[in-house]
Amino acid sequence: MSTDLSDLKNELNPEQYEAVMTINGPILIIAGAGSGKTRVITFRIAHMLNAGIPQSQILALTFTNKAAKEMQERIKELTGKKLPFLTISTFHAFGVKVLRQDIEKLGWRENFSIYDETDRNALIKETGRELRYSPEVMDIYKIGIIISDIKTGRKSWNSENEIYRQLYEGYQEGLKLYNAVDFDDLITLPIKLFREHPEVLSKYKEKFKYIMVDEFQDTSHQQYELMKLLSENNIAVVGDDDQSIYSWRGADYQNIINFEKDFPNMKEIRLEQNYRSTGTILAAANGVIKHNTNRKDKELWSGNGEGKPIEVYMPDNETAEADFVIECIRSICAEEKRKYDDFCVLMRANTQSRAIEEAFLQDNLPYVMSGGTSFFQRKEIKDVISYLRVIANHDDDVNLLRIINTPRRGIGRTTIEKLNEIAKNLSCSLWEAINTLLEVPEEEADSFMLSSELTFKGEEYGDFSEGTKESLKDFVKIIESNKSMLGGHGLAKKVRTMVEEIRYFDFLISENPKSEKAARFKYLNIESLINSIEMWENNPETPDPNLYNYLNRITLLSRDDMDDNEDNGKINLMTIHASKGLEFPVVFIIGTEEGLIPHGRAVEEGGDSAVEEERRLFYVAITRARDKLYISSCKKRRHMQSTVDCVPSRFLDEIPSNLVEYHEPAKIVDLKTAEDFFANMRKKFTAPIVPGFTNK
């Protein structure tokens, strides 16, 4: 059912209305926390469609699939149209679409693989081994950051990182050899494509006449560059510099300043009316964030009333802190009839969760921890998906190495080393090395079916045992016999058949000899994966349910939405970073101490600019609360094997004192008061019910 858009003035406040109605020219919308940003974006696109702009000319870019999906659904509701040609996408998903069309121009082949962090780390390790880097310098996490920083232009080669230049080049060559790209490539390669092939850029500029960018403060230099290349003049960016908390991901809120320079005729509109929080919560947020110097001046205000004071509690330690949280939740649930999912406990670091989780478990309180291990990162799931990736792209060495002996089929390290040597000598992938070993003509390597008559070139490439030869044959046969997954129908059914064919459950039993229950639990995860494939391919909104599209979908989902929380009826427990964009009636910010927020390591490494980002993080935490905010700061806290004294965060002093009430622990109730309370409760539940009246 569509919404009547003819009288938008009654639907929107004056600033929102101006932002929605301004279609032409560059526009910067500074949208404060809870100011109806998504509402403005969706109404603006709906208005553009009503004004006769073809949906195919509109491109809206955001940061998570969840946000993109929510926008798409809201616009469908507003317009009452299906909108098959409207492009609302994450930056990375848009990059995939661009590369799918024209990546051959950059030297890759069609149907490339997208490496996630695990795959990338495996390739870094493999490259390091080939180049004989010593184990002492192979810090994979550190090298991953260096590669990303160099690739995206955040850092340059210098005396400190020069040692990794050869590894970086080998890693890049490996990606191309295996016909794969990593997540940074999904932004950097489209930029390279647009710069080196102006005709490709021209095609997209001709297609997308109107561009919108959500969460603009979170854009990196590359994302900004991609956006700028695509846009002519009709571009709207929406963001809030006070909520820029992802510099460690490459985000740069200075892009707001860059936008003003690059589009000097732009119009700026500020959304400062907050529809989420009480006046007290907003006054606290304003009081904190005004201490940042490098920001656009704004003052959020609310029409929701002043609300209750912010309660601050100084527990003795993290155990008492957890007891305080539980006491408040139980009390509010009883008094205000709230559900558990109305509550959110925020922390600066995941390491703070242990005491809270233990207390929730002990008190039998249901909770969900956001930001845990992604479903798609579980070993059994990655194993199955690795099979699918190799079926889709035989040259994907990282995933081939993961599954060539999983389940075990007698292909050991020595065999893999020999295959690596063949691949290195011939400058080819491992799959091609196996085929060369099996004397398969190169032109038939992608389509042959093995027969028992095939001979091995053992004398040329080393001594392979008969058992190894048979195992390699069996492995190739499994991959080739499942090529029907690449097209046609019934992908889920084919995946289930393959899992049974490789006897993966038997493998799980052998891996968990002391716990068949654990093996069954892992196998249920695989069943869950197959069921999700079935739901996806049977969804009428899935345009082309083939294996390539499925693999790209889950890679983007596991990357962009790993912090999404779909669970209901449970207390929300998460880091402040994971909470951005969410809101809850009651919020607890725990561990508000120096060293935690602002985080000690961040301040040590980043100085004043890091303190300002940590303050923005605290501002985000405060503005997640709708009705009630509790803040705790421990006097002591366990650290490693000892207990250390804690100092309250400097940010607590920045909250105006008239907004704060210090929490006192609940007093022990005397016997007579307790007896009176229970006597009243008995009356309430045993009194006769009179029609038309309620028992109060």
Side-chain angles (χ1 to χ4, degrees):
M1 193 171 118
S2 63
T3 301
D4 183 8
L5 298 174
S6 60
D7 193 14
L8 286 174
K9 280 194 173 180
N10 290 331
E11 293 276 351
L12 306 164
N13 68 38
E15 292 76 22
Q16 289 176 331
Y17 179 76
E18 185 182 9
V20 166
M21 300 304 289
T22 307
I23 292 177
N24 296 311
I27 174 173
L28 170 62
I29 303 168
I30 301 294
S35 62
K37 168 178 69 72
T38 304
R39 182 177 174 81
V40 165
I41 293 171
T42 52
F43 267 87
R44 188 172 187 272
I45 293 175
H47 170 61
M48 290 164 73
L49 294 170
N50 269 18
I53 293 171
Q55 53 187 277
S56 59
Q57 291 186 3
I58 300 171
L59 170 64
L61 295 170
T62 186
F63 280 83
T64 68
N65 291 289
K66 184 178 179 181
K69 186 178 179 183
E70 183 185 347
M71 275 188 217
Q72 191 100 26
E73 287 172 354
R74 284 209 202 178
I75 295 165
K76 283 179 184 177
E77 286 175 16
L78 286 173
T79 60
K81 299 173 183 175
K82 290 188 176 180
L83 308 176
F85 304 112
L86 178 65
T87 304
I88 300 178
S89 167
T90 66
F91 274 93
H92 288 100
F94 179 72
V96 171
K97 287 180 182 176
V98 171
L99 295 177
R100 281 272 165 251
Q101 294 291 320
D102 293 291
I103 197 168
E104 294 96 332
K105 290 181 170 64
L106 297 176
W108 275 258
R109 298 187 302 283
E110 199 181 354
N111 294 325
F112 55 87
S113 295
I114 303 171
Y115 277 11
D116 63 12
E117 189 171 351
T118 305
D119 299 329
R120 183 190 69 167
N121 289 347
L123 180 56
I124 291 171
K125 286 179 187 174
E126 179 195 322
T127 307
R129 279 196 302 268
E130 287 178 357
L131 295 172
R132 301 189 185 283
Y133 274 73
S134 66
E136 293 77 36
V137 299
M138 283 301 291
D139 181 334
I140 303 301
Y141 177 75
K142 175 185 173 183
I143 294 168
I145 291 174
I146 290 171
I147 287 174
S148 183
D149 284 347
I150 295 292
K151 185 178 288 197
T152 57
R154 292 196 294 270
K155 297 274 179 66
S156 301
W157 293 113
N158 56 40
S159 56
E160 288 182 16
N161 59 31
E162 180 67 30
I163 185 176
Y164 297 109
R165 188 194 284 259
Q166 192 180 4
L167 194 152
Y168 172 83
E169 290 167 355
Y171 168 80
Q172 291 292 88
E173 288 167 5
L175 283 175
K176 210 159 189 179
L177 175 64
Y178 305 148
N179 199 39
V181 299
D182 61 23
F183 268 86
D184 289 324
D185 289 327
L186 297 182
I187 306 299
T188 58
L189 288 182
I191 291 172
K192 181 178 170 69
L193 184 65
F194 289 162
R195 284 177 176 159
E196 294 180 2
H197 299 273
E199 75 282 2
V200 177
L201 175 59
S202 178
K203 176 177 69 176
Y204 283 94
K205 291 178 85 163
E206 186 62 32
K207 177 177 172 62
F208 297 116
K209 300 289 190 184
Y210 298 85
I211 296 175
M212 286 194 73
V213 180
D214 185 22
E215 301 288 5
F216 184 59
Q217 77 284 343
D218 292 338
T219 52
S220 65
H221 290 298
Q222 273 63 40
Q223 287 161 336
Y224 179 78
E225 186 65 26
L226 182 66
M227 174 209 86
K228 195 171 77 169
L229 282 167
L230 285 166
S231 60
E232 284 288 350
N233 191 46
N234 299 328
I235 179 163
V237 298
V238 187
D240 179 10
D241 53 337
D242 288 337
Q243 295 186 72
S244 179
I245 58 173
Y246 293 118
S247 65
W248 48 279
R249 282 187 189 171
D252 188 357
Y253 69 94
Q254 289 289 339
N255 282 341
I256 291 175
I257 308 299
N258 295 335
F259 186 80
E260 292 172 331
K261 290 177 183 172
D262 292 331
F263 298 91
N265 60 330
M266 66 102 198
K267 175 190 275 192
E268 181 181 310
I269 299 170
R270 298 189 185 191
L271 309 180
E272 295 174 297
Q273 182 176 356
N274 176 286
Y275 292 90
R276 175 189 300 159
S277 307
T278 64
T280 295
I281 290 169
L282 290 184
N286 288 331
V288 169
I289 202 64
K290 73 180 183 184
H291 287 81
N292 273 6
T293 54
N294 200 358
R295 64 183 287 262
K296 281 188 168 289
D297 190 37
K298 68 184 83 66
E299 190 87 7
L300 294 183
W301 60 277
S302 171
N304 298 339
E306 289 308 300
K308 298 175 183 176
I310 294 164
E311 285 194 46
V312 174
Y313 185 45
M314 303 286 188
D316 289 334
N317 52 40
E318 59 264 49
T319 303
E321 182 177 59
D323 291 341
F324 158 69
V325 171
I326 289 173
E327 170 202 317
C328 291
I329 289 174
R330 289 205 180 281
S331 172
I332 294 170
C333 281
E335 291 173 13
E336 302 179 20
K337 303 292 185 289
R338 288 198 181 275
K339 298 183 298 179
Y340 285 133
D341 58 2
D342 285 342
F343 299 89
C344 181
V345 182
L346 296 177
M347 65 201 77
R348 173 62 179 85
N350 265 320
T351 51
Q352 295 169 247
S353 75
R354 184 192 57 79
I356 290 282
E357 289 195 69
E358 286 181 358
F360 282 169
L361 290 168
Q362 188 174 326
D363 269 54
N364 202 27
L365 284 174
Y367 73 93
V368 59
M369 177 74 193
S370 295
T373 303
S374 163
F375 177 77
F376 293 104
Q377 295 301 311
R378 297 179 189 272
K379 182 185 182 302
E380 61 274 16
I381 300 302
K382 281 197 73 73
D383 284 346
V384 174
I385 289 173
S386 288
Y387 271 95
L388 303 185
R389 292 196 189 285
V390 174
I391 290 164
N393 176 12
H394 296 347
D395 296 325
D396 187 339
D397 280 21
V398 170
N399 283 294
L400 186 144
L401 285 169
R402 183 184 184 92
I403 60 170
I404 195 169
N405 201 41
T406 303
R408 292 187 183 86
R409 50 176 66 90
I411 301 174
R413 181 172 293 183
T414 303
T415 302
I416 292 170
E417 284 174 357
K418 290 177 182 177
L419 290 172
N420 270 323
E421 193 63 32
I422 296 169
K424 185 178 178 183
N425 289 339
L426 299 178
S427 297
C428 67
S429 68
L430 282 173
W431 178 263
E432 290 174 296
I434 294 169
N435 287 327
T436 301
L437 185 68
L438 299 175
E439 288 197 329
V440 177
E442 189 177 344
E443 64 273 11
E444 297 173 26
D446 284 337
S447 59
F448 82 105
M449 290 296 291
L450 286 175
S451 68
S452 57
E453 289 77 33
L454 286 171
T455 58
F456 287 74
K457 299 173 74 172
E459 65 280 5
E460 186 175 342
Y461 292 112
D463 186 22
F464 287 82
S465 71
E466 288 302 318
T468 300
K469 297 170 186 177
E470 289 302 315
S471 296
L472 286 168
K473 255 198 278 190
D474 290 343
F475 174 69
V476 176
K477 189 172 182 178
I478 287 167
I479 301 302
E480 289 290 349
S481 65
N482 281 284
K483 281 175 64 175
S484 63
M485 289 185 192
L486 301 179
H489 300 287
L491 178 60
K493 186 177 179 182
K494 292 170 185 174
V495 174
R496 182 176 278 108
T497 301
M498 184 201 72
V499 171
E500 291 168 358
E501 179 189 355
I502 64 175
R503 301 182 63 162
Y504 195 83
F505 182 65
D506 292 345
F507 169 68
L508 290 175
I509 293 287
S510 68
E511 290 288 287
N512 300 273
K514 295 182 180 178
S515 175
E516 185 173 329
K517 187 177 179 182
R520 291 193 180 281
F521 178 79
K522 291 174 185 293
Y523 201 74
L524 283 174
N525 284 334
I526 294 173
E527 275 297 318
S528 179
L529 172 74
I530 293 169
N531 291 337
S532 73
I533 295 173
E534 193 168 24
M535 288 174 63
W536 172 76
E537 64 181 348
N538 291 333
N539 186 335
E541 292 192 12
T542 303
D544 187 10
N546 62 49
L547 181 58
Y548 296 124
N549 287 338
Y550 177 74
L551 290 173
N552 286 333
R553 172 181 176 269
I554 62 170
T555 304
L556 292 167
L557 278 176
S558 58
R559 164 68 177 224
D560 289 334
D561 293 336
M562 57 189 175
D563 291 333
D564 286 353
N565 169 25
E566 299 281 325
D567 220 317
N568 291 319
K570 297 179 182 179
I571 301 162
N572 299 279
L573 188 59
M574 65 184 72
T575 63
I576 302 171
H577 281 101
S579 74
K580 187 165 172 295
L582 305 177
E583 59 181 73
F584 304 91
V586 183
V587 169
F588 297 84
I589 308 174
I590 63 170
T592 313
E593 301 141 25
E594 286 291 311
L596 280 176
I597 184 160
H599 199 280
R601 190 175 68 246
V603 172
E604 185 181 334
E605 294 174 359
D608 291 345
S609 64
V611 172
E612 293 219 343
E613 176 148 338
E614 292 287 305
R615 187 177 283 112
R616 292 195 293 271
L617 194 57
F618 191 57
Y619 171 85
V620 166
I622 292 172
T623 54
R624 297 312 94 197
R626 292 212 308 252
D627 305 325
K628 183 67 179 168
L629 176 63
Y630 295 87
I631 302 175
S632 60
S633 174
C634 291
K635 296 173 184 173
K636 295 180 184 293
R637 186 175 290 276
R638 290 280 300 174
H639 182 68
M640 307 295 280
Q641 301 300 314
S642 60
T643 300
V644 297
D645 292 324
C646 302
V647 176
S649 168
R650 69 192 79 178
F651 300 150
L652 281 176
D653 290 335
E654 296 172 357
I655 299 175
S657 58
N658 63 303
L659 307 174
V660 173
E661 198 173 81
Y662 281 85
H663 179 86
E664 295 296 330
K667 294 176 182 172
I668 297 173
V669 178
D670 63 76
L671 185 60
K672 185 175 186 315
T673 303
E675 286 175 346
D676 290 345
F677 174 79
F678 285 113
N680 285 330
M681 290 292 287
R682 278 194 295 275
K683 278 183 193 175
K684 179 174 180 181
F685 290 109
T686 58
I689 297 174
V690 179
F693 292 86
T694 56
N695 295 327
K696 292 185 178 178

